[in-house]
Amino acid sequence: MMSIRQRKGVRATDVSGDGAAQQEDVALEPKLPSEGCTSRRLWKILSFTVGGAVALCAGLLTSVYLATLHENDLWFSNIKEVEREISFRTECGLYYSYYKQMLQAPSLVHGFRGLMYDNKTESMRTINLLQRMNIYQEVFLSVLYRALPVQKYLEPVYFYIYTLFGLQAVYVAALYTTSWLLSGTWLSGLLAAFWYVTNRTDTTRVEFTIPLRENWALPFFAVQVAAITYFLRPNLRPVAERLTLLTIFMSTFVFSLTWQFNQFTMLVQALGLFALDSLDMLPAAKATWLYSIQVTALLLVCALQFFNSMILGSLLISFNLSVLIARKLQKNLKTGNFLNRLGKLLLHLLVVLCLTLFLNNIIKKTLNLKSDEHIFKFLKAKFGFGATRDFDANLYLCEEAFGLLPWDTFGRLSDTLLLHAYVLVLGVTATTALAVALRHLSSHVSAVLSSDSPAQGPTGRCAVSLRPDIAYNLTHTVVFGALALSTMRMKYLWTPHVCVFAASGLCSPGVWGSLLKVARLHTPARVCVVRHAVPMLMLLCLGCKFWPGVMDELSELREFYDPDTVELMHWINSNTPRTAVFAGSMQLLAGVKLCTGRTLTNHPHYEDSGLRARTRAVYQVYARRPPEEVHALLRALGTDFVILEDSICFERRHRRGCRLRDLLDVANGHMMDGPGENEAGLQPAGHPRFCEEIRRGLPAYSALFTRVFQNKTFHVYRLQKEVAGPPAPSPSGQTR
């Protein structure tokens, strides 16, 4: 298998009105003492220019750093084309194959037609890839490569990967900007960018999974968060507000277009907005804009994906519509005393929940939608609502990426002092938010409060306060933190924002003002000194600690090495017809399509119920099934060749119960291999394991399967086409 080897803030004032208060705008830098209007304007221009230049440099340096690591890990510039393509593992190779397909098409029209009427991704089926998958970015990039005069100077693969690494510059600049907006100083943006790089293991995986959908989408998600942060500032000028809304919409749209998990990510975001809106910590009108933008962007993506039913049946659309409807039904939600408001709030929550489930159920029944049922089965089993024998749900449960966030993650975050700073800032901000929420529930008239200066409550006493943009980012980090803790793969949505939130808090006059007040040491001068001195010392400390490690990383040279897979791809290209249909594991077949262009029976894009059934049928080669049944299942999918992998048949990577063969045994009602307990109701299998028994060359197997290729990792068998026998069985073992 593949391996890597050594190579040779300003104060704001509360003004209540129309259920939401207004604040003064907050500049990016705190105002200087009165030195004349011209001096202050020049200082702002200088600060903005320097801060913008630093943001640009931080983004570009991160991009170059990650691209260099990718080159050093694989020696990408020196390896053969087939090795480059194999390095795009699993679904990454599948997505890249469509970029390659568009470039190889005689014209753009032929390329588009090939994607819309594709009959090679799934054998015996013609599917619209633009509807099924999020591959518009590959289409756009192929069109751009054809249009620009770069073909003589830049290979298509480099144009592709440099675009992805270039997006990392956008990503870091967006994180930098968000931190700057929250704290009022670009110093926090620099600290956020530095933390993003030093915690690279937990903030990104772009250097080894380049074409993955999240690497396209997350930079635009970061732009959206930065735009929302600016949008929630009070008293924006009409032009600035319209431009910000346009930025939010465009970034939300591109984010949704480039990642199939967009709806689930934005649902978590919408839940955070709903919590703040219900507690009157966001202006109601702005919250409505954000709900509407999410729905509009998703519906536009739905139209571009030829009315993909999975989008129409998403919980996000049902939830946002329910929130807007419930708000119309409950107009007096934010009035009354504490108990009154608390009761109305609980009723509002119940109405939204019931309406969401009702709308979603109606939509799914109308559209007969089953594409996302495996996700809900997985969630049901993951959170302990009953064990399941469902193959798809267990396949997710047994993957480390969908397990709980490992404890060693917190150790790595602590090594860079990020976790310590984050916990401090989160504790102070969350305490303030709780006090503000209780105060709003107790008030007869709701108000949106400022965080950098005390606000006057209804009784005239001094009260704590929280700006809407800070409240939003607090909720954002909490809800995505909960998501990351429950599902490790989602940590890449959380950890970059941890960098932003921790850095902005360390540079925030609000956080240090609160801490110095508790210590009875508060003065404006001390706050100013501490909020600039602490991040500068942090940057100095981190630079001294991690600079040698970064230099070592950049000097360590490795080389891509996977001779068995390279040999397999060469054999397929040389010894099989271009119309041949291949069956095998999802991960391997993605590489087969990219490197050879052969037709597949199944692939890693798992968001289709029909494809999941195909995959279960193909994977019976690793179950205990008779050769006749396995042959019938494979031939029903038009299979000409099947590839068996020793790493799956004799798997040791997962524990008992999570090996692929165990999942198949349980789904088929059979007892698992080896010592250990079995679930009640499982029966001993009546046949040996197919992938083991076929190696012996017994007549029952050799009559149906002929081995045509083998090496240390792979065994390829050609299927006999004309075999009389019983009708094809189902993947679960029952005859159709």
Side-chain angles (χ1 to χ4, degrees), residues 66-317:
L66 293 173
T68 305
L69 290 179
H70 174 259
E71 167 64 23
N72 289 356
D73 266 348
L74 301 177
W75 204 2
F76 200 76
S77 60
N78 190 65
I79 58 179
K80 300 175 182 177
E81 183 69 21
V82 66
E83 293 176 309
R84 291 177 180 175
E85 293 178 346
I86 293 171
S87 72
F88 296 142
R89 295 173 290 181
T90 65
E91 61 187 289
C92 299
L94 183 69
Y95 298 133
Y96 182 79
S97 72
Y98 300 123
Y99 169 72
K100 180 180 176 181
Q101 180 178 325
M102 282 290 294
L103 291 179
Q104 291 178 342
S107 67
L108 288 177
V109 174
H110 282 84
F112 272 104
R113 182 174 290 276
L115 295 180
M116 292 174 63
Y117 301 97
D118 180 90
N119 55 13
K120 298 184 75 67
T121 301
E122 295 177 16
S123 59
M124 304 180 71
R125 294 178 71 180
T126 299
I127 61 175
N128 185 345
L129 292 169
L130 295 176
Q131 179 189 49
R132 177 80 72 80
M133 303 181 191
N134 298 72
I135 58 169
Y136 270 103
Q137 51 267 51
E138 275 75 25
V139 173
F140 172 75
L141 217 56
S142 64
V143 172
L144 200 61
Y145 184 78
R146 284 172 175 265
L148 296 176
V150 296
Q151 291 91 338
K152 293 182 180 179
Y153 316 105
L154 200 62
E155 296 176 62
V157 67
Y158 277 105
F159 186 73
Y160 188 93
I161 66 172
Y162 285 166
T163 300
L164 267 299
F165 286 126
L167 281 178
Q168 284 294 302
V170 176
Y171 196 4
V172 171
L175 298 175
Y176 179 108
T177 303
T178 304
S179 192
W180 185 0
L181 289 168
L182 289 172
S183 66
T185 171
W186 56 261
L187 190 61
S188 71
L190 181 60
L191 181 57
F194 202 89
W195 263 329
Y196 178 84
V197 173
T198 54
N199 291 279
R200 173 177 55 83
T201 303
D202 297 299
T203 55
T204 183
R205 48 180 176 167
V206 66
E207 74 269 24
F208 57 90
T209 58
I210 296 176
L212 207 61
R213 302 299 83 180
E214 68 187 47
N215 295 327
W216 285 97
L218 292 185
F220 296 102
F221 189 59
V223 171
Q224 184 222 46
V225 172
I228 290 175
T229 300
Y230 185 75
F231 176 65
L232 293 177
R233 287 168 161 254
N235 293 345
L236 289 181
R237 294 178 181 177
V239 174
E241 187 169 283
R242 291 191 193 101
L243 289 175
T244 307
L245 283 171
L246 179 62
T247 303
I248 295 172
F249 173 76
M250 291 303 300
S251 55
T252 304
F253 167 69
V254 177
F255 167 72
S256 302
L257 189 65
T258 52
W259 197 19
Q260 68 268 31
F261 293 139
N262 57 70
Q263 53 186 291
F264 305 107
T265 303
M266 290 198 295
L267 176 62
V268 174
Q269 187 182 45
L271 290 171
L273 288 171
F274 175 68
L276 293 175
D277 184 28
S278 299
L279 293 171
D280 200 23
M281 298 175 73
L282 288 184
K286 292 189 175 184
T288 302
W289 270 113
L290 296 177
Y291 291 134
S292 303
I293 284 175
Q294 282 189 333
V295 172
T296 306
L298 207 56
L299 289 176
L300 183 56
V301 170
C302 179
L304 283 175
Q305 289 194 265
F306 298 85
F307 298 97
N308 186 314
S309 60
M310 188 174 174
I311 296 176
L312 291 173
S314 68
L315 275 173
L316 175 68
I317 290 178

Side-chain angles (χ1 to χ4, degrees), residues 46-61:
L46 178 63
S47 177
F48 184 82
T49 303
V50 173
V54 173
L56 182 62
C57 290
L60 291 176
L61 287 174

Side-chain angles (χ1 to χ4, degrees), residues 432-632:
T432 304
L434 181 61
V436 170
L438 291 174
R439 181 182 170 202
H440 285 185
L441 287 173
S442 303
S443 301
H444 289 275
V445 180
S446 58
V448 177
L449 303 171
S450 165
S451 67
D452 290 329
S453 63
Q456 297 299 316
T459 61
R461 295 178 298 176
C462 184
V464 293
S465 53
L466 195 69
R467 285 196 334 241
D469 55 342
I470 296 177
Y472 167 76
N473 279 274
L474 169 65
T475 309
H476 185 99
T477 196
V478 168
V479 294
F480 282 101
L483 184 63
L485 289 173
S486 66
T487 307
M488 188 188 77
R489 184 177 178 180
M490 297 302 166
K491 72 177 179 180
Y492 299 104
L493 287 163
W494 176 58
T495 45
H497 194 265
V498 168
C499 302
V500 168
F501 195 72
S504 66
L506 286 186
C507 298
S508 168
V511 170
W512 288 114
S514 299
L515 292 174
L516 291 175
K517 283 177 183 176
V518 171
R520 300 179 182 273
L521 296 172
H522 181 273
T523 65
R526 285 175 181 162
V527 170
C528 184
V529 169
V530 171
R531 68 186 285 252
H532 289 93
V534 169
M536 291 177 69
L537 290 173
M538 187 78 74
L539 283 167
L540 184 62
C541 174
L542 292 174
C544 293
K545 182 178 180 180
F546 288 99
W547 182 256
V550 169
M551 292 296 101
D552 288 343
E553 273 189 318
L554 292 175
S555 62
E556 187 175 3
L557 304 178
R558 304 178 184 227
E559 179 182 6
F560 175 87
Y561 186 71
D562 189 2
D564 290 347
T565 307
V566 171
E567 184 185 11
L568 173 66
M569 299 305 171
H570 281 315
W571 181 87
I572 292 174
N573 274 320
S574 303
N575 297 277
T576 64
R578 293 197 62 82
T579 56
V581 177
F582 277 79
S585 68
M586 295 183 288
Q587 297 81 359
L588 178 62
L589 289 187
V592 169
K593 184 179 190 310
L594 171 58
C595 298
T596 72
R598 301 305 190 263
T599 304
L600 313 180
T601 56
N602 55 304
H603 54 81
H605 196 272
Y606 215 53
E607 281 70 48
D608 178 75
S609 57
L611 176 67
R612 293 195 293 273
R614 282 171 160 256
T615 301
R616 289 194 298 273
V618 170
Y619 279 6
Q620 297 305 309
V621 297
Y622 298 110
R624 295 172 176 176
R625 303 290 288 274
E628 297 81 11
E629 289 187 3
V630 173
H631 183 273

Side-chain angles (χ1 to χ4, degrees), residues 640-689:
D640 297 312
F641 298 88
V642 60
I643 307 172
L644 300 183
E645 301 172 58
D646 287 348
S647 59
I648 298 178
C649 188
F650 306 103
E651 181 183 2
R652 293 181 177 86
R653 184 170 68 94
H654 289 102
R655 57 179 172 81
R656 182 178 185 270
C658 272
R659 300 169 298 188
L660 181 62
R661 62 180 186 267
D662 297 335
L663 303 184
L664 290 164
D665 286 343
V666 171
N668 293 341
H670 299 155
M671 290 182 177
M672 294 182 287
D673 285 338
E677 295 183 359
N678 284 283
E679 185 183 333
L682 296 178
Q683 301 294 325
H687 300 89
R689 195 166 303 282

Side-chain angles (χ1 to χ4, degrees), residues 327-482:
R327 179 184 285 173
K328 293 292 184 182
L329 297 176
Q330 295 175 290
K331 295 182 179 179
N332 297 321
L333 179 65
K334 300 175 182 179
T335 58
N337 57 31
F338 179 80
L339 291 178
N340 243 340
R341 290 198 63 182
L342 187 61
K344 290 179 179 179
L345 186 61
L346 294 175
L347 178 62
H348 182 63
L349 179 62
L350 183 63
V351 168
V352 169
L353 178 63
C354 292
L355 196 54
T356 298
L357 295 176
F358 174 75
L359 286 176
N360 194 251
N361 193 44
I362 291 294
I363 293 172
K364 286 186 174 179
K365 284 191 174 182
T366 303
L367 299 175
N368 192 28
L369 178 62
K370 296 181 180 179
S371 297
D372 58 355
E373 63 180 0
H374 64 300
I375 296 174
F376 294 103
K377 288 180 181 178
F378 159 69
L379 293 174
K380 181 180 176 182
K382 181 179 178 67
F383 294 109
F385 296 103
T388 179
R389 293 184 183 179
D390 183 77
F391 174 77
D392 301 319
N394 285 327
L395 193 62
Y396 280 105
L397 285 171
C398 287
E399 281 298 322
E400 184 183 3
F402 292 94
L404 300 176
L405 189 67
W407 282 106
D408 60 359
T409 305
F410 301 106
R412 291 192 297 271
L413 297 180
S414 297
D415 289 342
T416 61
L417 302 179
L418 174 58
L419 187 63
H420 302 84
Y422 178 71
V423 170
L424 172 67
V425 174
L426 182 64
V428 173
T429 312
T431 302
T432 304
L434 181 61
V436 170
L438 291 174
R439 181 182 170 202
H440 285 185
L441 287 173
S442 303
S443 301
H444 289 275
V445 180
S446 58
V448 177
L449 303 171
S450 165
S451 67
D452 290 329
S453 63
Q456 297 299 316
T459 61
R461 295 178 298 176
C462 184
V464 293
S465 53
L466 195 69
R467 285 196 334 241
D469 55 342
I470 296 177
Y472 167 76
N473 279 274
L474 169 65
T475 309
H476 185 99
T477 196
V478 168
V479 294
F480 282 101

